[in-house]
Every structure is written in C-alpha cells, then in structure tokens.
Amino acid sequence: MRNHNDEKSALEEAAISIFIDIYNFNQQNDLKVVEKQECPDYILRNIEGDFIGIEVTHLFYDSEEAKMLLGRSDREFHGLESSTHYIKTLNELLKQKEKKIDKYGVVYPVALLVRNASPVYGMSDFLKYKNEIYKPEKYSHIWFVSKDGNNNEWLLKDLLTD
C-alpha cells in the first residue's frame, strides 16, 4: 500500500499534467513545470518566462467517497448525494485553501487548481451553481478541472471569471 505522501504526490502530478495539457492547448501557451515543492505545490513558467505558483487540491463529495475512490473502503455504494452539498463542500475547500496562501511568501502570482474527483458530478453541474461558488480573491485564478457526464475528456474553467 502506498503511503499518504506518495498517493498525494501522484494525485497532484496527475492534476497538474491534466491542467497543463488543457491550458496549453486552449491558450496556445507553453506552461511548463519548473519545480515541485510544498507551498505552493508547483512553480510553472509560461512562454514569456513569467512564473506562477500552483496550489493543487482535489474535491471529493466527502471522506467516504474519497476512501472508496482511493481503494480504502469496503463499501460498494456511497448513498445519496446532493449537488447543493457538493457545492458546500467545494466552498469549504476554497475557504480552507484561501487561508494557506498568505504563508507562501512568494513574489509571483499563485493560482489554485481544483480537480473534481467525483464520478457523479461533472463540470456542467458546477456551472449551474457558479453564482453560489465562493471566490477567494487572493488567488490569481481558481482553475477547476472536471469531466462532464458521459464525456470522458477533462474540461477546464477559471471559477473567478464569469
């Protein structure tokens, strides 16, 4: 069994890879990882040579869903889920991450990357509630990556923009 730090690192690497692929494709940019570190999780450089810090996090409906998706639960079914509860969970996560940014002490902008881990809720579910999503303004961007419905491709949205 993997230890927590190895698992966390693998999840972060997958999320940053998804983000960079989509971002570079859509923006015709060449974001690249410069360094993996602790706070923020990644330092990226764009085509102009500017740096940006990326804090990576994953959104699960609750701890039981996380255990099930990560293979740590014997349960086969999660039970009923509500989209309003999931938005509340996202908002709590955003507020928690907002408290961390002041500790970074960096001179470049820092963005938050949230990877939706839910197999039930997709990008369109979150966009329906976009006005109810908390927007921590200390981050330069709140990048949200998620699949949507039967579409097996990742989508990217900056939650700070309309």
Side-chain angles (χ1 to χ4, degrees):
M1 184 166 121
R2 298 175 112 177
N3 76 35
H4 174 74
N5 288 335
D6 289 344
E7 185 174 66
K8 182 177 182 269
S9 183
L11 286 168
E12 289 173 352
E13 284 178 30
I16 202 74
S17 177
I18 292 164
F19 167 73
I20 288 172
D21 288 348
I22 298 171
Y23 184 89
N24 286 345
F25 179 79
N26 289 327
Q27 301 295 321
Q28 300 298 305
N29 205 322
D30 193 28
L31 276 181
K32 290 187 177 167
V33 173
V34 174
E35 183 178 352
K36 166 87 171 106
Q37 58 179 35
E38 200 51 39
C39 294
D41 296 312
Y42 287 89
I43 306 301
L44 307 180
R45 184 174 35 230
N46 66 17
I47 201 165
E48 291 88 24
D50 300 322
F51 292 100
I52 183 168
I54 303 283
E55 177 68 22
V56 180
T57 192
H58 285 76
L59 175 65
F60 296 93
Y61 185 81
D62 60 17
S63 61
E64 185 58 36
E65 180 186 67
K67 289 176 193 173
M68 290 173 68
L69 293 173
L70 297 172
R72 290 196 214 121
S73 175
D74 294 332
R75 291 179 57 184
E76 293 183 32
F77 299 101
H78 183 270
L80 293 177
E81 296 183 7
S82 87
S83 53
T84 54
H85 175 79
Y86 207 35
I87 296 298
K88 181 181 175 197
T89 302
L90 171 60
N91 286 338
E92 289 169 2
L93 179 66
L94 293 171
K95 288 174 185 176
Q96 172 193 346
K97 291 295 180 177
E98 183 179 41
K99 292 176 184 174
K100 286 182 72 174
I101 194 170
D102 292 331
K103 299 176 185 174
Y104 296 164
V106 296
V107 295
Y108 43 79
V110 177
L112 179 62
L113 172 59
V114 180
R115 180 182 176 192
N116 175 29
S118 175
V120 177
Y121 295 100
M123 183 67 82
S124 60
D125 296 307
F126 289 93
L127 295 180
K128 283 185 220 171
Y129 295 96
K130 68 181 180 184
N131 293 331
E132 296 176 35
I133 296 174
Y134 179 71
K135 295 172 178 53
E137 295 178 7
K138 292 182 180 182
Y139 287 100
S140 61
H141 300 276
I142 306 294
W143 295 112
F144 188 76
V145 292
S146 179
K147 292 186 177 183
D148 196 36
N150 293 331
N151 178 357
N152 203 30
E153 298 204 16
W154 290 98
L155 304 171
L156 175 66
K157 172 75 175 137
D158 184 353
L159 296 179
L160 292 180
T161 62
D162 289 326

